Amino acid sequence: MISRNLMERGLCLLLILAGATDIAADPEFDYLLHCGGCHLENGGGDPPIIPDLRKDLDYLSSIPAGRAYIAQVPGSSQAPLDDTALAEVLNWMFERFYPTQQLQLYSTDEIAGYRGAILMDPLKVRATLISQH
């Protein structure tokens, strides 16, 4: 027979874990957990090695090669998020860092199509794309 104290502890743990699942499904939380360590909470990064997400992301998101680049950089393509969660994080970044612009949002299928190809030199790809601007 399970004691009442043990059952109460189990219920508390279950409630805590259920709350953590809700938080983890939030794109802002996922950004802070998986992107914010390098790009910082405000998206500023540490240029030139860690790009400032508040600059050029609008341009990159407007061209096919740029959209692929955003989803294929190691921080995106290798994040422990499924395709839907990654699309939500990237779309949240667009809304957070470019609130006055209507950027084309990612779909889950678009992310799935891009993620298979990993960039070997993301800084070079970014520089090439930006130079075309």
Side-chain angles (χ1 to χ4, degrees):
M1 179 181 221
I2 299 175
S3 73
R4 179 181 173 131
N5 190 17
L6 185 58
M7 285 182 16
E8 288 173 354
R9 285 186 200 172
L11 181 57
C12 287
L13 180 60
L14 181 62
L15 291 173
I16 289 168
L17 291 175
T21 301
D22 291 342
I23 291 171
D26 177 59
E28 181 177 12
F29 179 84
D30 284 340
Y31 170 84
L32 292 172
L33 184 64
H34 302 293
C35 313
C38 294
H39 289 286
L40 308 177
E41 183 178 347
N42 69 357
D46 189 14
I49 302 301
I50 302 167
D52 184 335
L53 299 176
R54 303 166 302 179
K55 297 181 180 171
D56 301 319
L57 201 59
D58 54 344
Y59 165 68
L60 292 170
S61 72
S62 72
I63 59 172
R67 291 182 69 77
Y69 163 82
I70 293 168
Q72 291 170 341
V73 294
S76 290
S77 66
Q78 297 173 20
L81 300 169
D82 65 25
D83 295 335
T84 299
L86 179 57
E88 289 172 357
V89 169
L90 296 175
N91 293 337
W92 176 87
M93 288 169 31
F94 291 168
E95 293 167 1
R96 170 77 164 92
F97 302 128
Y98 299 88
T100 61
Q101 297 183 39
Q102 294 288 329
L103 303 183
Q104 180 184 348
L105 301 180
Y106 282 101
S107 69
T108 299
D109 290 339
E110 185 178 14
I111 293 297
Y114 292 139
R115 262 184 133 172
I118 297 173
L119 299 176
M120 298 310 288
D121 190 347
L123 293 176
K124 182 178 178 181
V125 172
R126 181 182 178 85
T128 300
L129 291 169
I130 297 302
S131 73
Q132 298 169 358
H133 185 19

